[in-house]
Amino acid sequence: MSELNITVGTEMRDAERELHHFRVRLGIASTFVLVMFALLFARFFYLQVVMHEHYHTLAEANRISILPIVPNRGIIVDRNGVVLATNYSAYTLEITPSKVESLEATIDELATLVEIGPRDRRRFKKLLEESKRFESLPIRTRLSDEEIARFAANRYRFPGVDVRARLFRSYPQGELFSHVIGHIGRVNQKDLDKLEAEGRSSNYRGTDYIGKTGLEYSYEDQLHGTTGVEQVEVDSGGRAVRSLSRSSPISGSNLVLKLDAKLQEVVYNAFGDRRGALVAIEPSTGGVLAFVSKPGFDPNLFVDGIDQENWNELNNSPDKPMVNRALAGTYPPGSTFKPFMALAALTYGKRTPGQAISDPGFYTFGGHTFRDDKVGGHGMVDMYKSIVASCDTYYYILANDLTIDGISRFMGTLGFGSRTGIDLAGEAEGVLPSQEWKRKRFKRPEQKKWYAGETISIGIGQGYNSYTPLQLAAATATLANDGVMFRPHLVNYVEEVHTRQRTPIEPRPLRSLDWKQEHIATIKRAMVGVNKEGTSARAFAGAQYTSGGKTGTAQVIGLKGEKYVESRVAERHRDHALFIAYAPAENPKIAVAVIVENSGFGARAAAPIARQVFDYWLLGKDAKKPVKDDDDAPQY
């Protein structure tokens, strides 16, 4: 039997080689770890040292929130401290549209807790169209305590909806001062662009409202104040934890006006339902005592954002309540132009006071007959009678002698056809016609030429003449003040709220006109005659003071060859009634210009309003009722 021999081989380990591999792997691992640590260290160094300031700032920004503190808007009062514009605090229910899935559904649900009417919905819709979706917009203002409590209990159901306390503007006098005070409105993109361009945008952080019209617009810088800043620490949810620092806002300054609220009310009542304007000026300072444009509007409608229904009503009204007639309405001055024409004649040596013409009741020039209002004429007419009786023929002839450029040159010094510079935006220039004006105004060569016949109507305040009631009042005040012209101004002084420091709006004489006092006295004597024995004598019968005035009637439409009969003309096409006056004649304290639209003769509709105004200002008499038309007054 053979034997199986098995030889078992023995494999010897290479210790050296294994050690080498181990050392290589160890070296690689160590190197990797070192590199990683180096990278980590480098990153730490970068973050902790190099980028320290950057990340410190970011961290602080996450921890600290900068909140603007909107300043209180300055209030506006009249010369006696009667409040015309003020502020009040109220709670509003606000929606941030970008945080709400369905606006309509959310508003419907909110309406079950808080009263939300159709007007609130219309106003919110209008605000939404004008604003950005990430802005918080009010759906209801002036919440009651019960409404706040009901919403607070259901707050969790309405993400993107909150209750906030805000300051609101209030105009307690309603439409009485609407065209003077104006109104504020929500800041829109156009406002933001303007603020940015003027470098004022930072002062409007957190501000929702800005002056839009009137003094609210003209004195926006003074009224707004300086926005404050508060640094607060916030949690991860953005909620304020504690206040870190605070820079208090500086409230806007108050405006104290020259206007008298009671006088303004007297004027408003005197107009009744008539359309028109009245400007009353203190001749010795240029301070505006009353500034009425009627009809007006309720500026409170604009504070929260006016709804579409009210906006359409104001815009589509044929009475145009949004038009500031005193400031931007332009009208032919009619015969109220005659005293200034007479003064031009004296100044340029074209007439003497005693020089008279024979008035047959018409004047023929270039084959065209210009008729006087009085059939048969006024007979022999000197300067005094031309003003007292309002003789057209006298001024037809005078206009031809003065020439259009002579008239334009003289009237320009009185401010006709240029802005007065009153501290209220939106003033119209009007039209002071001249040859140069016509060359620039029209395009066709035959239209550019000035025809001598056109000058004739200019003499009685018709033709291309077109001025604002403010310009007419300023010119009357200048005449009453013996040729010294002041810039009309509404604000008496600006008062800083905390220090009570007052910055007066100085009466600034624009110029002293180079008129002879004897010439001024001649015109004033004739204007006193107007109220004593002339066209407005009935309106001023029994007055306890002496006054000077001049009536005017301005055509609205031309009737080709037809005689004007008021009853046959549509109401909106009837003549305007005008009147200028000052009182007392010896030392004028007040000068006025009145226009009553489509009310016919100045003596019938406009002069009685001025009488009521003078009776209040000089004697303290308040009729408290509209002036009735004097149908028996002279029809000039």
Side-chain angles (χ1 to χ4, degrees), residues 474-493:
T476 305
T478 301
L479 179 60
N481 201 37
D482 295 335
V484 179
M485 175 178 279
F486 284 85
R487 182 178 71 92
H489 58 279
L490 290 154
V491 177
N492 190 10
Y493 55 84

Side-chain angles (χ1 to χ4, degrees), residues 19 41-42 65 138 213 244 259 304 314 330 332 343 369 400 408 438 481 594 597 599 621 629:
L19 182 59
F41 178 79
S65 181
T213 64
L244 300 176
L259 282 173
D304 303 337
L314 288 173
T330 57
L343 188 57
T369 298
N400 188 48
S408 177
K438 200 173 182 190
N481 201 37
V594 190
E597 290 185 357
S599 289
K621 294 181 179 178
D629 287 351

Side-chain angles (χ1 to χ4, degrees), residues 366-510:
H368 180 77
T369 298
F370 297 86
R371 299 194 179 281
D372 197 290
D373 282 333
K374 186 175 182 180
V375 177
H378 295 271
M380 294 303 294
V381 178
D382 60 8
M383 185 168 285
Y384 178 86
K385 187 176 180 180
S386 74
I387 294 175
V388 171
S390 199
C391 174
D392 287 345
T393 305
Y394 185 94
Y395 290 94
Y396 291 146
I397 300 170
L398 178 57
N400 188 48
D401 291 348
L402 285 171
T403 74
I404 184 58
D405 286 340
I407 296 171
S408 177
R409 186 167 60 252
F410 183 83
M411 298 302 171
T413 63
L414 275 161
F416 286 114
S418 58
R419 297 185 179 94
T420 65
I422 190 173
D423 46 347
L424 199 61
E427 187 179 6
E429 285 189 351
V431 174
L432 175 60
S434 65
Q435 293 194 68
E436 182 182 2
W437 167 82
K438 200 173 182 190
R439 279 195 296 271
K440 292 179 179 178
R441 170 65 178 80
F442 295 100
K443 294 182 179 178
R444 297 206 300 270
E446 65 274 19
Q447 292 177 314
K448 289 177 176 290
K449 182 182 177 182
W450 184 271
Y451 297 95
E454 294 176 312
T455 305
I456 309 303
S457 295
I458 296 297
I460 62 166
Q462 292 288 162
Y464 294 113
N465 280 314
S466 186
Y467 310 115
T468 66
L470 175 62
Q471 288 172 345
L472 206 53
T476 305
T478 301
L479 179 60
N481 201 37
D482 295 335
V484 179
M485 175 178 279
F486 284 85
R487 182 178 71 92
H489 58 279
L490 290 154
V491 177
N492 190 10
Y493 55 84
V494 179
E495 183 180 63
E496 209 279 322
V497 174
H498 296 294
T499 64
R500 296 296 176 190
Q501 181 181 353
R502 295 177 175 180
T503 304
I505 306 299
E506 295 285 351
R508 288 190 289 174
L510 291 177

Side-chain angles (χ1 to χ4, degrees), residues 579-604:
F579 190 64
I580 59 171
Y582 58 89
E586 303 78 16
N587 183 23
K589 303 292 185 186
I590 183 171
V592 301
V594 190
I595 180 165
V596 188
E597 290 185 357
N598 311 117
S599 289
F601 304 105
R604 184 178 70 179

